[in-house]
Amino acid sequence: MHISSQFDSGNIHVVRATSPEDILLTIPKDNQSDFAQWFHFRLVGEAFVTHTMTIAELATSAYPEGWKDYNVLASYDRQNWFRVPSDFDGRDMSMLVIGEETPEKKKVWITARQHPGETMAQWCAQGIIYRLLDEQDGLARQLLDKAVFYIVPNMNPDGSARGHLRTNAVGTNLNREWAEPTKEKSPEVLYVFNAMSQIGVDMYLDLHGDEALPYNFVAGTEGNPSYNSEIEALENTFKQALLNATPEFQDEFGYDKDAPGEANLAVASNAVGEKFNCMAYTVEMPFKDNADLPDKLYGWSVQRSEQLGEDLLIAVNAVVNALK
């Protein structure tokens, strides 16, 4: 099998072509520009073998809307050209629903990895998921009697696959899109926020990692216009329960608190807290280590992220009865 664009009007970049079923390509940009849309290449292989080709990164092309309902043009002899059935789509987003949905149960939402480089967030979500699914765990059973959990363990699958730090496939920072998400720039946020609107939200945790601060901490919604003493009491109960549950958590170091009414409502926890008048926290973990409980060999690790996820459920259980 050989793929070539070394001819007039040829344009393609081969990322991977290890087998006919797994061919990954991208479209090079026009010389000294940011435009990329045209592709033209030749594939030489064995007859009667089906080849599956994926052209990646089309969401960042010059005219991404042009790929919708577009079928690639192909020819065996360069005389007769025909259309090949093609699909244009991003990677799937998964939402797990854990618990039996009934009208009286509280609705707890958890999202992770809006910033794809913050991988500790997804490991933390995994710890939450594993504990909730443990039928021998008494806390999990008690929680699932009272609440249903809606968990999106990876809010940014395209950015994750591309090795991005903070953005999705089209260069959008998702955690600044919650005020006005769009299908063009932030479909991930749009779909999750729409699902929240359909289902309802009684509590929200958004899991992140902070590159600079070597601590686990939370950031609340005290700057929201609707923030009140009831939400403040829930936040304090949550924090105290987590402080009691694990030495990995602390409440001394963190982000500066927003002044009343000055929250950035484009940030997920603020937007969700305001829209649903509920308790909403951004949960931050370190990239480095927990300075209060350092581990010189491993630092902040996968295992510690998962364990923090399990411990977060203790704090959720402390407030679940008081949620609206």
Side-chain angles (χ1 to χ4, degrees):
M1 180 176 60
H2 178 69
I3 298 172
S4 172
S5 59
Q6 299 300 312
F7 49 83
D8 286 354
S9 81
N11 192 45
I12 203 67
H13 172 66
V14 180
V15 178
R16 182 175 66 245
T18 55
S19 70
E21 298 84 15
D22 185 25
I23 300 172
L24 181 62
L25 311 168
T26 58
I27 301 175
K29 294 179 180 179
D30 292 357
N31 186 42
Q32 300 186 46
S33 85
D34 288 326
F35 290 99
Q37 193 88 14
W38 172 264
F39 64 92
H40 187 192
F41 61 91
R42 177 188 297 117
L43 184 151
V44 179
E46 295 183 28
F48 308 110
V49 173
T50 299
H51 294 75
T52 301
M53 289 170 275
T54 298
I55 303 178
E57 303 179 12
L58 296 186
T60 60
S61 63
Y63 305 101
E65 290 295 317
W67 302 115
K68 295 180 179 179
D69 302 320
Y70 173 83
N71 288 324
V72 172
L73 199 60
S75 173
Y76 290 117
D77 57 10
R78 289 181 292 169
Q79 298 297 319
N80 298 305
W81 293 83
F82 56 92
R83 295 286 176 173
V84 177
S86 308
D87 295 316
F88 172 61
D89 200 0
R91 292 169 178 82
D92 290 339
M93 285 180 64
S94 299
M95 182 182 77
L96 287 74
V97 181
I98 303 178
E100 183 180 355
E101 295 176 294
T102 60
E104 69 276 7
K105 284 188 177 181
K106 307 299 171 58
K107 301 172 178 64
V108 179
W109 281 78
I110 299 172
T111 57
R113 210 172 172 186
Q114 286 199 76
H115 299 141
E118 297 167 12
T119 55
M120 65 287 290
Q122 192 166 356
W123 291 115
C124 184
Q126 181 163 292
I128 292 171
I129 293 165
Y130 281 2
R131 184 165 193 181
L132 286 174
L133 295 177
D134 184 352
E135 296 180 352
Q136 299 300 311
D137 190 300
L139 178 73
R141 292 172 58 200
Q142 187 177 69
L143 268 174
L144 294 177
D145 283 340
K146 304 171 184 177
V148 179
F149 287 78
Y150 302 88
I151 303 175
V152 183
N154 187 351
M155 280 284 296
N156 199 332
D158 288 334
S160 300
R162 292 166 58 89
H164 288 188
L165 171 65
R166 290 186 68 82
T167 66
N168 66 2
V170 295
T172 302
N173 179 352
L174 296 182
N175 203 28
R176 299 298 184 272
E177 288 288 307
W178 290 74
E180 295 180 357
T182 65
K183 192 172 182 180
E184 292 71 30
K185 290 184 60 182
S186 49
E188 303 91 341
V189 174
L190 180 66
Y191 296 143
V192 171
F193 216 3
N194 285 346
M196 287 178 168
S197 298
Q198 294 169 5
I199 295 168
V201 182
D202 297 307
M203 178 181 178
Y204 175 50
L205 299 177
D206 186 30
L207 310 180
H208 284 263
D210 185 278
E211 290 83 355
L213 291 172
Y215 302 98
N216 293 293
F217 60 96
V218 291
T221 59
E222 60 282 336
N224 279 5
S226 64
Y227 188 77
N228 55 41
S229 59
E230 292 180 6
I231 294 176
E232 182 181 17
L234 287 170
E235 289 181 341
N236 290 335
T237 300
F238 182 94
K239 286 190 292 186
Q240 189 58 55
L242 196 52
L243 286 167
N244 293 339
T246 175
E248 297 283 21
F249 179 70
Q250 57 82 49
D251 193 34
E252 180 181 358
F253 301 98
Y255 300 144
D256 294 335
K257 294 183 182 297
D258 292 324
E262 295 186 6
N264 182 355
L265 296 180
V267 172
S269 57
N270 292 336
V272 175
E274 183 67 18
K275 180 177 178 64
F276 299 98
N277 192 27
C278 68
M279 176 189 154
Y281 259 143
T282 300
V283 179
E284 294 282 359
M285 286 163 281
F287 272 78
K288 304 170 184 177
D289 199 353
N290 177 5
D292 288 337
L293 198 66
D295 185 322
K296 292 183 180 180
L297 180 60
Y298 295 107
W300 189 251
S301 64
V302 167
Q303 291 79 6
R304 294 170 81 181
S305 299
E306 290 180 328
Q307 184 61 56
L308 183 65
E310 294 188 29
D311 293 336
L312 282 169
L313 292 177
I314 298 173
V316 174
N317 195 49
V319 300
V320 68
N321 288 332
L323 297 176
K324 293 183 179 181

